[in-house]
Amino acid sequence: MASPVEQFKLKPLVPIEIGGVDLSFTNSALFMTAAVVLAGVFLTHSMRGRHLVPNRWQSMAELSYEFIANMVREQVGSDGRPYFPFIFALFMFILFGNLLGMVPYAYTFTSQIIVTFAMAMAVFIGVTLVAIIRHGVHFLTFFFPSGAPIYMAPLLIPIEILSYLSRPISLSVRLFANMMAGHTMMKVFGGFVAALGIFGVAPMAVLVALTGFEILVAVLQAYVFTILTCIYLRDALHLHH
Amino acid sequence: MQDRDSPPSLDDLDARLKKARGSEEKRVRRSEMLSPNLPGSAMGLAFRVGVELVAGVAVGVGIGYALDRWLGTGPWLMIVFFFLGAAGGMMNVFRAATGQGLAVGYRKPADDAEKASRDGSEREG
């Protein structure tokens, strides 16, 4: 029987090697491409009609647009509008990646820490740059809580800096760990079904519930990643004195 | 197309949509007040908080270890940064749990003023 973690193995589909660096097109890259293409097709195709009263596909596309637009407006405020395309693209990419992973035999690229870490680092560096560009040196006051006595600074500033630096780690680990744990668990229960024969009905029932739960987690984690991006962006934009 | 048969009903539809959205927003706002800054549900918070603790410690130990290797100061910086990182992680958890967001250097009154201005801009838009 296959190991439950074998599903996370990277398989090079088109081996490419440039200057000794392995740049192969892997199954992970394939599903990333699929997520981008599917999200693009979903949005452009369903908006093609531009009906005043939307049909089913159009209202799904409008729903996802409005969901993120409202999130940006609520969390960031009106000056978060220029960042909406990035946040929306991020949300759709993660959502489609997570949901594509639920298709049997598909590869879940969000279960790779390097993928989620790259996205979290892009958010972290981008948000930090926005804060530095908008606030200049004032950005450094970020690391000292207002109202704290000054003699606490040697202790508080390192703690604040570390808690700031832990953002990309927690952001990436949260998505990666949830996806990996969920898919491993499903594989383990799938193994029980095969091994127990007729008594496999019991783990099968668990598996059905687990599949539903995993779809919930897939959507929820895309949401959590996006809303935390919004919260970080708000901190960067509305840094007061 | 059905909507061509009854063009004047669009204004009515718009008004009804706005009304429904308004009451929905009020409901959301109320639930947000009960649990501010908590996305979705308690489950969302639970998913957020657990990782936060570990991430703080991991970053602290990582930075301490790197500094130790660079400066050759035995295990001491790693130990110091372990505790600082744990404190940072707990601070993040505290902020997430008390609904202060995950802001480093969060300022409450400023946020209130910001919320008021945001509400104002919403009414315009």
Side-chain angles (χ1 to χ4, degrees):
Chain A
M1 199 170 62
S3 146
V5 287
E6 205 173 288
Q7 56 178 323
F8 303 119
K9 209 172 159 188
L10 282 171
K11 294 184 197 89
L13 301 177
V14 185
I16 305 168
E17 202 173 308
I18 298 169
V21 186
D22 190 7
L23 295 175
S24 304
F25 190 81
T26 57
N27 47 358
S28 169
L30 176 71
F31 277 93
M32 278 187 230
T33 318
V36 172
V37 169
L38 269 178
V41 166
F42 164 63
L43 288 172
T44 50
H45 181 76
S46 45
M47 290 310 289
R48 190 185 285 160
R50 289 195 178 79
H51 304 293
L52 195 53
V53 176
N55 59 18
R56 288 176 202 149
W57 283 101
Q58 191 182 336
S59 59
M60 268 164 72
E62 282 180 2
L63 209 66
S64 46
Y65 179 94
E66 275 180 11
F67 180 61
I68 301 298
N70 282 335
M71 189 196 283
V72 172
R73 206 175 52 213
E74 292 264 312
Q75 297 292 332
V76 190
S78 51
D79 46 351
R81 212 165 283 173
Y83 307 98
F84 170 77
F86 173 72
I87 292 169
F88 186 58
L90 195 67
F91 174 74
M92 290 309 269
F93 184 61
I94 298 172
L95 182 69
F96 272 75
N98 288 352
L99 288 178
L100 267 180
M102 293 307 297
V103 177
Y105 296 103
Y107 186 85
T108 327
F109 63 80
T110 42
S111 64
Q112 293 279 319
I113 181 115
I114 192 66
V115 175
T116 60
F117 187 68
M119 289 191 290
M121 253 348 237
V123 168
F124 179 74
I125 292 172
V127 160
T128 309
L129 284 180
V130 164
I132 290 175
I133 289 168
R134 275 181 79 111
H135 302 283
V137 188
H138 280 304
F139 169 66
L140 296 175
T141 61
F142 212 54
F143 296 115
F144 188 67
S146 64
I150 194 73
Y151 53 83
M152 289 294 281
L155 186 61
L156 278 176
I157 290 175
I159 291 178
E160 291 280 338
I161 289 177
L162 280 178
S163 95
Y164 187 69
L165 289 179
S166 75
R167 278 175 172 189
I169 308 285
S170 66
L171 197 58
S172 58
V173 166
R174 185 178 301 113
L175 177 59
F176 142 79
N178 270 293
M179 296 319 290
M180 199 196 66
H183 282 263
T184 310
M185 204 148 79
M186 279 172 66
K187 258 288 184 343
V188 168
F189 274 95
F192 287 165
V193 175
L196 286 179
I198 186 74
F199 299 106
V201 196
M204 183 77 178
V206 176
L207 204 55
V208 170
L210 210 58
T211 308
F213 180 71
E214 274 311 303
I215 292 173
L216 169 77
V217 167
V219 179
L220 192 72
Q221 284 307 316
Y223 170 73
V224 168
F225 197 98
T226 325
I227 200 160
L228 285 177
T229 304
C230 287
I231 289 174
Y232 295 163
L233 189 62
R234 176 188 62 190
D235 296 343
L237 289 176
H238 305 289
L239 186 68
H240 288 276
H241 46 80
Chain B
M1 279 279 130
Q2 260 190 338
D3 50 300
R4 209 166 290 166
D5 300 337
S6 52
S9 74
L10 277 177
D11 287 335
D12 177 45
L13 187 71
D14 192 43
R16 277 195 349 236
L17 261 175
K18 273 207 179 113
K19 207 175 131 198
R21 285 227 175 104
S23 64
E24 170 73 10
E25 221 160 78
K26 229 179 270 167
R27 199 181 60 77
V28 168
R29 189 98 9 109
R30 201 173 308 133
S31 72
E32 250 173 30
M33 243 174 256
L34 289 176
S35 51
N37 243 330
L38 198 152
S41 56
M43 205 151 131
L45 185 70
F47 274 127
R48 267 167 60 184
V49 158
V51 182
E52 218 66 65
L53 263 181
V54 184
V57 176
V59 168
V61 169
I63 289 175
Y65 183 71
L67 284 177
D68 267 345
R69 288 199 72 163
W70 181 42
L71 302 170
T73 45
W76 300 111
L77 280 178
M78 193 173 95
I79 293 169
V80 169
F81 273 85
F82 171 82
F83 287 108
L84 289 177
M90 277 177 204
M91 212 131 131
N92 277 343
V93 170
F94 173 74
R95 287 197 178 106
T98 51
Q100 298 191 353
L102 293 179
V104 175
Y106 181 87
R107 287 169 181 84
K108 191 102 189 174
D111 190 67
D112 285 342
E114 190 188 298
K115 200 163 195 177
S117 73
R118 216 186 299 148
D119 285 354
S121 68
E122 245 174 52
R123 222 160 287 139
E124 286 162 29

